[in-house]
């Protein structure tokens, strides 16, 4: 069965993984021509998650690590980075499941807020899953326009 068919009929599971497991999808969807590694990827406190279809191929990745929020003062802020799903499974809930699992784990570690530099093309996704847009558009090279977004924890 193709990955796309499996994603439509199968179960998407989320698991914690090491950084290297997320690199192929990062390379394909996010970091073309740029180094795959992001600062603190291998730090013990950095949380990497992967989505698999029926326990098989990795079809989504994301990472979370503690970092002050540029737009809100206070402790307990974590940054979301490296978010991507395989184009063959988009719109099927893998992205939502990844972020939801991450927010639960971050909250369990005492996190009170998760923020991200959201690509303009992904702002609708983050809004759909509960994030708020808190900035005007700004340019982050070499990718392009972004907006600051955040969600407070725990989710009620
Ligand atoms: C953005 C991305 C992670 C979304 O992943 P996904 O697997 O399609 O997300 P889901 O299927 O869980 O979508 C959840 C909801 O958001 C909606 N949605 C998904 N992408 C959207 C977008 N770009 N704009 C608006 N809504 C979107 C879905 O339709 C779905 O809506 P529903 O609640 O009605 O079902 C994926 O498109 C992607 O990897 N894009 C390329 C890389 C990228 O831009 N990453 C983000 C960097 S900041």
């Amino acid at each position: 069965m193709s990955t796309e068919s499996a994603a439509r009929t199968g179960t998407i599971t989320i698991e914690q993984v090491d950084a290297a497991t997320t690199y192929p999808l990062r390379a394909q969807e996010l970091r073309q021509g740029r180094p795959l590694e992001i600062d603190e990827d291998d730090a013990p406190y950095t949380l990497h998650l992967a989505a698999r279809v029926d326990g098989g191929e990795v079809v989504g990745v994301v990472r979370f690590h503690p970092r002050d929020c540029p737009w809100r003062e206070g402790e307990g802020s974590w940054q979301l980075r490296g978010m991507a799903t395989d184009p063959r499974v988009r719109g099927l809930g893998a992205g939502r499941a990844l972020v939801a699992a991450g927010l639960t784990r971050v909250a369990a570690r005492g996190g009170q807020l998760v923020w991200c530099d959201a690509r303009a093309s992904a702002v609708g996704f983050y809004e759909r899953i509960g994030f708020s847009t808190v900035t005007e558009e700004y340019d982050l090279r070499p990718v392009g326009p972004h907006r600051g977004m955040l969600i407070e924890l725990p989710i009620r």
Side-chain angles (χ1 to χ4, degrees):
M1 193 188 296
S2 72
T3 298
E4 188 171 358
S5 313
R8 285 184 192 286
T9 56
T11 305
I12 291 172
T13 53
I14 309 297
E15 65 186 59
Q16 190 168 343
V17 295
D18 60 12
T21 301
T22 70
Y23 291 168
L25 204 49
R26 250 192 216 176
Q28 183 185 309
E29 300 303 324
L30 292 171
R31 315 262 324 158
Q32 294 93 341
R34 292 186 289 153
L36 294 183
E37 293 183 27
I38 312 177
D39 296 347
E40 301 175 73
D41 260 351
D42 292 321
Y45 46 78
T46 299
L47 172 66
H48 299 274
L49 299 178
R52 296 184 194 271
V53 178
D54 291 337
E57 192 180 347
V58 172
V59 294
V61 295
V62 68
R63 66 161 250 192
F64 299 83
H65 75 297
R67 189 162 183 203
D68 287 348
C69 175
W71 316 293
R72 286 282 173 86
E73 300 213 340
E75 310 247 309
S77 294
W78 288 55
Q79 184 180 10
L80 178 162
R81 293 190 73 181
M83 170 86 226
T85 58
D86 188 309
R88 294 171 294 171
V89 309
R90 290 203 185 141
L92 299 178
R96 179 196 293 275
L98 274 166
V99 177
L103 297 183
T104 300
R105 285 167 164 82
V106 168
R109 289 164 169 74
Q112 296 173 38
L113 178 149
V114 170
W115 64 274
C116 67
D117 295 303
R119 293 182 182 202
S121 55
V123 165
F125 162 71
Y126 291 111
E127 282 181 342
R128 190 80 186 136
I129 62 173
F131 282 64
S132 301
T133 305
V134 294
T135 73
E136 298 298 317
E137 209 164 83
Y138 50 87
D139 193 45
L140 283 185
R141 293 179 185 212
V143 176
H146 287 71
R147 281 181 189 261
M149 302 191 74
L150 60 80
I151 188 166
E152 289 176 20
L153 302 176
I155 314 295
R156 293 176 206 288

